[in-house]
Amino acid sequence: MTRFFALRTNFHIIDNNSISKENKDKFIKVRPLFDAVLKKCNSLPLEQDLCVDEQMVPFKGQLSIKQYMKGKPIKWGVNIFLLCGGKSGMAYNFMLFQEYSELDSNLVKSVGSGGSVVLHLTQNVPPNRHFLYFDNYFSSFGLFERLQQLNIYAVGTIRSNWFAQPPFLSDKQMRKMGRGTAFEVTTDMNHCNIGLVKWFDNKAVTLGFNYVTSGDVDKVERWDKKKKAYVEIERPEIVRKYNESMGGVDKMDQLISYYRILIRSRKWTLRMAMHAFDIAITNSWIQYTKEAEQLNIPKKNVLDLLHFRINLAKDLITFEKPITLKRKGRPLSTPSNESVNEPSQTYKIPKVDSQRPTDAVRTDTIDHLPEFDDRKYATKCKNKKCEGRRTHVYCLKCNVHLCLDKKK
């Protein structure tokens, strides 16, 4: 533990003495690490449905860019804006938030600060292929207009006072008309076609879009308190698509929160560095599950997130690492801390079969040397193609018994 704390204390990503006095990047101490993760995220193939939202890195120490958000599960921390897959949660792009001054000032004036973040994250999104979803923090009329010019289909909840108070029915009128009532408003401008839909369920929700009207209406079940039963109400297609594809960043947050790398330290650089590793590991697991589904691997053979992280840790520890041979010799008959008169305690060692190594360790071609065991009975060969042969030979690094003769 002392060695661990010493390493943690001296852990640095860059040389602090190399930081210029004119530097304005508040994330300069962790920027190389996040740039490496971002480069890999940008190289991933984008899925059709995408969403933009914010993510909080938990931190309560002293930091000028620390934020407080009242309604969030993590209220104190560093804010990150992410572009994720709408259904998978895969991170494709992100932006460490420090201040809006790093964005184009003219763009902020035309589409708003939140809209500038969306345009920054969607720079590499190809046109006419993807659907983008975001909430009312980012929405503005200028953003929908700009995304339509870029041929990116967008849907987002809106705040009516940010759209010059469109002529919607009031909530009171829609409540009298009943649940499932929808009211639509569209622009009559030639160069852009932007629509707004207000749909009333228990409460009213307003959405904006730039590629489709309210769409086909489907039926959805809702609980009625007066009738004490489920009733079917109408729902516009745009609401269904938004509900299905807006939870990507929340899914990424959920997966990270299960097994977050926790370090109790007041150094914000450690917290941010560990969060970068969490994003990389979670992205790797999502990609692993996608490839397993494409290869038709049975679900029982697909690793869950916990065992994926455990195997990854084992691979990083033992991959391309030479083995250290055990010291041979006669052990002491009496331990130094045990009295001669006291009877020595004997412990029965449980019989455990050899553990299977991961593929990364098995194929690293480093110090896989044969050795003979001292067992009374031979152990079954672990090669799947071997026909039930038994052997005393095992691999020193993997601790797996394998046949070794002239033919193999």
Side-chain angles (χ1 to χ4, degrees), residues 31-43 91-92 94 275-277 279-280 283:
R31 183 66 67 180
L33 177 60
F34 275 91
D35 285 346
V37 177
L38 180 60
K39 183 179 180 181
K40 186 61 180 178
C41 292
N42 289 337
S43 65
Y92 298 110
F94 58 82
H275 189 76
F277 296 145
I279 292 177
N283 256 20

Side-chain angles (χ1 to χ4, degrees), residues 59-74:
F59 183 74
K60 291 185 178 181
Q62 186 176 359
L63 186 62
S64 60
I65 51 179
K66 180 183 62 177
Q67 290 187 351
Y68 173 78
M69 294 192 178
K70 184 178 180 180
K72 296 289 184 179
I74 301 174

